[in-house]
Amino acid sequence: MSMFCFQCEETAKGTGCTVNGVCGKNAATASLQDELTGELIGLAAAAMANAAGKPTGNTHKVIVDGLFVTVTNVAFDDNAIIQQIAAAKAEKLKLVAAGGGNPAEAYDLDLLWEADPDIRSLKSLLLFGLRGMAAYAHHAAVLGKTDDTVYDFFYQGLAALGQDMPADELLGLVLELGDVNLRCMELLDEANTGAFGKPVPTTVSCDIEPGPFIVISGHDLNDLKLLLEQTQGTGVNVYTHCEMLPAHAYPELKKYPQLKGNYGTVWQSQQQEFAGIPAPILFTTNCLMPVRPSYADRVFTTSVVSYPEMAHIGDDKDFTPLIDKALELGGFDSLHQMRGINGGSSMTTGFAKDTVLSVADTVIGAVKAGAISHFFLVGGCDAGTPGRNYYTDFVKQAPADSIILTLACGKFRFNDLDLGEIGGLPRIMDMGQCNDAYSAIQVALALAAAFECSVNELPLTLVLSWFEQKAVVILLTLLSLGIKNIYLGPSLPAFVSPNILNVLVEQFALTPISTPEADLQKILG
């Protein structure tokens, strides 16, 4: 069986995976994900048809969870994907039956992969962006935050994938998706801060204390809250992994004394860092890599995440098996010292929009006084491909009077560095998960308002790393806001054709990264 997938930055030879996915999925799994996507396009078309019933909350859930399942490094279990396909088919039949019409056929995704290069490029941007937005919508919905504007666009965007549309209309939809995703990320920000409080600056240890513990990975803060509630009084500690690090900054999470610190570094090192770990690991969202035998008996998944033969925690969110496993394994006998990529023993997080804006006067004063020369937002998705040391080197070489804002897992390349302070402000400020890009945008907009200029006129440069579909939709959001001169790497997306890349370069001055030295010279003049 052959496959075709080029949705992530690691895609084979920079063109597309055709035998097995670099992410670890096989051709059969890739084919099922394409089938699921085709069914979701058919469901969306049915929802948009006049002779169909009105989509319900369950329709929304099927669409969002189905798209989330197809995000890179989420689902490897074919049976779980087959269940999502069945759910999409069943929901489509319900809508059609309610309207008395005939069911639309599922879309054949091969038609997209074989389309004209520019049309394929624009539809890929739309599809992958929808997958990224689905992740954010999923997290917001778990905490009770929804918006019809967001869900309406899921149907509109998916339905458009199955239609013949000219390139200019597709480009318009792609940028509209970026605009809608801003609202989606705002929903998620409201959901997280409403449920867990506003993040505050917090220093997190990399050391692991003796005794039983659980490592929780992914992005779902609600799963962490439930785990913390259930581990109270058990003697089991909890450590975050990778994108869960920012959880330590939320007051309603950090109040639990058993939330101790952060385990490990970048997500792509999990196969080495989890080898023989004396504790179970819970994966709540994407960033699950193929599981190795050295720790296969202690991996648990939940929500949309799945892996063959791994224990799955269902919708009841009963983490008893996880806690029992932690007690059985017992943890380390003595203090286990771990370090960041650069040898640091701690990491700081919690510089979300409310914290940064609370010291806006200090920041603005420092800029006007010449103490701060430039702001760099250096962040995004990390991965294992060569060239990503660029971001570490860029931060190290950034001028001593510059501030580094960061977010998402790309920060693990440098977030254990101590670059000192400027006027009492740390030079590296971690704004949170990739889910928290909304914070960074709001800070940029607020600074622009304070200086009475546009974001593009600020002494601010975005230097982004990308890996998967959530990074794609964040980039589309930035472009929809008219933000220009973004540096992107380590390579450009394989699914962006030369013609479409030229459009993005001409309209937004989107720039591939080169070397830290050359890029800093170009940025700073």
Side-chain angles (χ1 to χ4, degrees):
M1 178 182 291
S2 62
M3 66 179 287
F4 180 75
C5 182
F6 61 173
Q7 70 174 1
C8 83
E9 194 272 334
E10 289 187 322
T11 195
K13 300 179 181 179
T15 56
C17 295
T18 56
V19 180
N20 282 300
V22 174
C23 66
K25 69 183 177 184
N26 58 35
T29 303
S31 178
L32 285 171
Q33 290 185 352
D34 279 0
E35 183 181 347
L36 171 58
T37 302
E39 289 292 348
L40 295 174
I41 293 171
L43 172 57
M48 296 284 290
N50 292 327
K54 183 177 176 61
T56 65
N58 188 62
T59 318
H60 300 340
K61 187 177 189 306
V62 169
I63 288 281
V64 166
D65 287 0
L67 284 168
F68 199 173
V69 159
T70 62
V71 168
T72 304
N73 290 93
V74 172
F76 295 84
D77 186 350
D78 291 353
N79 289 329
I81 302 171
I82 289 169
Q83 289 176 13
Q84 292 284 349
I85 292 171
K89 288 180 176 180
E91 194 63 27
K92 181 174 68 176
L93 290 175
K94 284 182 187 177
L95 293 186
V96 172
N102 295 315
E105 292 295 324
Y107 180 73
D108 181 359
L109 222 60
D110 284 343
L111 296 174
L112 194 160
W113 308 143
E114 297 166 1
D116 168 85
D118 294 341
I119 298 299
R120 180 178 76 166
S121 179
L122 289 166
K123 285 192 173 184
S124 294
L125 274 168
L126 183 58
L127 172 59
F128 302 154
L130 287 168
R131 288 175 174 175
M133 186 168 74
Y136 301 135
H138 170 96
H139 290 304
V142 164
L143 294 172
K145 289 288 185 178
T146 61
D147 188 324
D148 286 344
T149 301
V150 174
Y151 288 108
D152 287 348
F153 192 85
F154 276 121
Y155 298 111
Q156 180 186 0
L158 280 169
L161 294 172
Q163 300 169 1
D164 291 329
M165 298 179 66
D168 58 339
E169 288 186 28
L170 283 170
L171 180 59
L173 274 178
V174 166
L175 294 177
E176 185 180 351
L177 167 58
D179 184 57
V180 174
N181 184 60
L182 181 64
R183 173 55 184 151
C184 188
M185 290 194 299
E186 180 183 23
L187 274 180
L188 182 54
D189 180 77
E190 293 171 354
N192 284 337
T193 56
F196 311 118
K198 294 179 180 179
V200 295
T202 303
T203 299
V204 183
S205 173
C206 297
D207 292 340
I208 313 301
E209 297 181 7
F213 67 97
I214 293 168
V215 175
I216 182 168
S217 188
H219 305 75
D220 199 300
L221 299 180
N222 192 57
D223 280 339
L224 174 57
K225 175 70 181 301
L226 296 174
L227 179 62
L228 290 170
E229 290 175 349
Q230 293 178 42
T231 50
Q232 288 188 97
T234 64
V236 175
N237 290 328
V238 177
Y239 291 83
T240 56
H241 173 253
C242 202
E243 279 276 67
M244 276 293 191
L245 170 68
H248 291 272
Y250 287 90
E252 290 302 308
L253 298 176
K254 66 184 299 175
K255 71 181 183 181
Y256 291 90
Q258 73 270 32
L259 180 61
K260 292 292 186 178
N262 190 74
Y263 186 98
T265 55
V266 291
W267 69 271
Q268 66 270 15
S269 294
Q270 64 189 257
Q271 292 176 326
Q272 293 76 42
E273 293 178 344
F274 290 160
I277 179 176
I281 311 108
L282 175 66
F283 285 91
T284 65
T285 56
N286 56 317
C287 301
L288 168 64
M289 295 181 73
V291 180
R292 292 186 172 175
S294 60
Y295 59 95
D297 65 331
R298 55 208 68 183
V299 168
F300 293 75
T301 62
T302 193
S303 186
V304 295
V305 190
S306 64
Y307 197 88
E309 300 180 8
M310 298 296 108
H312 187 79
I313 304 296
D315 292 341
D316 61 357
K317 299 296 182 180
D318 181 358
F319 295 119
T320 301
L322 198 65
I323 296 168
D324 289 345
K325 192 69 174 179
L327 293 169
E328 173 195 333
L329 292 169
F332 294 107
D333 294 330
S334 58
L335 183 68
H336 184 72
Q337 293 184 316
M338 301 189 76
R339 293 293 179 262
I341 284 181
N342 303 286
S345 60
S346 65
M347 304 165 182
T348 303
T349 189
F351 290 91
K353 67 181 190 304
D354 294 290
T355 293
V356 177
L357 294 179
S358 71
V359 294
D361 290 344
T362 302
V363 173
I364 294 166
V367 173
K368 290 181 177 179
I372 297 176
S373 65
H374 208 86
F375 296 89
F376 296 98
L377 175 59
V378 185
C381 300
D382 200 15
T385 45
R388 289 180 180 267
N389 58 317
Y390 166 96
Y391 298 94
T392 307
D393 295 339
F394 186 98
V395 168
K396 287 180 176 179
Q397 295 176 35
D401 58 356
S402 64
I403 293 287
I404 310 295
L405 303 173
T406 189
L407 48 74
C409 59
K411 63 174 168 273
F412 280 87
R413 292 279 171 170
F414 51 81
N415 68 338
D416 64 322
L417 291 170
D418 183 1
L419 297 185
E421 298 182 344
I422 299 177
L425 300 172
R427 285 195 56 219
I428 296 180
M429 298 186 189
D430 173 22
M431 308 189 78
Q433 300 177 336
C434 62
N435 301 8
D436 298 311
Y438 180 76
S439 266
I441 291 170
Q442 293 308 305
V443 166
L445 294 175
L447 288 175
F451 285 106
E452 298 181 343
C453 65
S454 71
V455 171
N456 293 319
E457 294 171 314
L458 286 171
L460 167 69
T461 304
L462 278 62
V463 184
L464 306 181
S465 57
W466 84 280
F467 169 63
E468 41 87 330
Q469 298 77 64
K470 289 186 287 182
V472 171
V473 78
I474 289 173
L475 177 62
L476 296 181
T477 295
L478 296 172
L479 298 182
S480 75
L481 290 168
I483 297 177
K484 297 183 178 181
N485 299 304
I486 297 171
Y487 286 73
L488 184 66
S491 64
L492 294 177
F495 51 82
V496 175
S497 68
N499 287 337
I500 300 305
L501 177 60
N502 286 338
V503 171
L504 297 179
V505 170
E506 289 174 6
Q507 289 192 19
F508 303 103
L510 192 65
T511 304
I513 62 170
S514 58
T515 66
E517 296 82 3
D519 290 344
L520 280 166
Q521 184 175 8
K522 182 177 179 182
I523 292 166
L524 299 174

